[in-house]
Amino acid sequence: MAKPGRFELAHRGTLLLDEVGEMPLGLQPKLLRVLQEREFDRLGDTRSVHVDVRVISTTNCTLSEMVRAGKFRADLFYRLNVIPLSLPPLRERREDVRELAEHFLRLYQPQGKGLRLTPEFIERLEVHSWPGNVRELANCLRRAVALATGPEIGSDGDSDGWGFERLPGESGPGSMQPERDDCLRAGVSLGDMERRLVEMTLEATGGNRSRAATLLGVSLRTVRNKVRSYGLPSWSSYVHD
């Protein structure tokens, strides 16, 4: 028996199509058919499945320009462009940075840890150019929480471990890139170094704990225990293999 797909599972509900501008041209007619006729054919089946779905699509591309360039179908663009909402990049709405940072702090800090963001840290966030937009801000807070050694993030004035990223060719005070590994500096305990190494390895493997265990030369069970004992966030991106 065929398994239901995303559209079928979203019947009488809402389906989010993230980064719809990345959809290959060959697949776009299939999506257009579902949106127009509210039906699709399962792979290997001869019967059409009818669905009633509200569709929300997102993109960081300018679809109208992609249409002119022949990279996106005009009919699909007009079918999707019913109620367009434009959200400016984070660098154009710096007044939102503090609130978003505090949200991510609550999201990523272990329960009962009670971390706070210092005014210096928040100021540093507000002047950063955020080439990676909100995702970069989330990763910055996630890293800062994992590397925190006290109740306040940014209280030591050392921004090297805060996780600000820079795109190639970008420069300026709002785009600093750490020049050294924050694990390797005087005054860091062996326990902190191990915790940060586990954290950095999980980030490097996209949260794949099995791969992280292989790189660290330990068992998967050890990685799980380290995540728990060091109070690292139980991110949903952590996978087993």
Side-chain angles (χ1 to χ4, degrees):
M1 182 176 179
K3 293 183 178 179
R6 297 298 182 185
F7 271 95
E8 196 169 352
L9 290 172
H11 180 56
R12 294 181 178 175
T14 302
L15 179 66
L16 173 65
L17 302 178
D18 192 19
E19 298 298 348
V20 70
E22 304 295 328
M23 176 176 288
L25 276 170
L27 291 180
Q28 292 178 23
K30 300 179 184 297
L31 174 59
L32 180 63
R33 181 197 172 195
V34 178
L35 297 178
Q36 289 189 163
E37 302 178 13
R38 297 178 179 269
E39 67 176 23
F40 64 92
D41 297 331
R42 281 178 173 173
L43 186 64
D45 201 344
T46 59
R47 296 171 299 175
S48 295
V49 178
H50 296 268
V51 291
D52 180 14
V53 179
R54 178 193 297 112
V55 173
I56 299 175
S57 60
T58 68
T59 181
N60 60 4
C61 306
T62 305
L63 293 184
S64 58
E65 294 181 359
M66 294 182 65
V67 169
R68 287 191 289 270
K71 298 180 179 179
F72 200 84
R73 291 178 60 106
D75 48 4
L76 178 57
F77 168 70
Y78 291 118
R79 192 66 184 83
L80 290 170
N81 195 36
V82 179
I83 305 178
L85 298 174
S86 178
L87 185 64
L90 191 55
R91 64 179 176 273
E92 296 180 9
R93 47 191 177 98
R94 299 184 188 275
E95 66 277 6
D96 294 340
V97 169
R98 176 193 291 266
E99 186 173 350
L100 286 169
E102 291 175 346
H103 164 73
F104 290 127
L105 176 65
R106 292 190 297 268
L107 180 65
Y108 293 130
Q109 69 175 323
Q111 188 174 5
K113 194 167 185 179
L115 293 173
R116 300 185 300 275
L117 304 179
T118 64
E120 178 189 11
F121 185 77
I122 293 175
E123 181 180 1
R124 181 68 174 81
L125 296 178
E126 291 176 338
V127 300
H128 186 58
S129 59
W130 300 113
N133 218 349
V134 177
R135 285 190 178 94
E136 183 188 350
L137 176 61
N139 286 336
C140 175
L141 265 295
R142 188 166 66 178
R143 183 178 301 169
V145 167
L147 302 182
T149 57
E152 292 188 332
I153 294 178
S155 59
D156 58 359
D158 181 8
S159 64
D160 283 357
W162 291 352
F164 296 104
E165 302 296 337
R166 181 180 63 182
L167 293 178
E170 188 180 17
S171 61
S175 310
M176 259 194 293
Q177 179 83 349
E179 297 180 356
R180 58 180 170 82
D181 191 335
D182 191 61
C183 291
L184 303 177
R185 60 180 174 86
V188 178
S189 69
L190 289 175
D192 285 340
M193 290 179 65
E194 183 181 63
R195 182 190 65 177
R196 297 179 191 189
L197 181 59
V198 172
E199 163 74 12
M200 292 167 64
T201 305
L202 285 167
E203 284 189 355
T205 60
N208 189 312
R209 290 179 292 192
S210 294
R211 177 61 178 159
T214 300
L215 292 175
L216 292 169
V218 298
S219 66
L220 175 59
R221 182 177 181 180
T222 297
V223 172
R224 290 173 179 163
N225 290 339
K226 295 299 182 184
V227 170
R228 183 170 56 253
S229 64
Y230 287 133
L232 297 179
S234 299
W235 305 330
S236 59
S237 58
Y238 280 3
V239 295
H240 297 278
D241 48 34

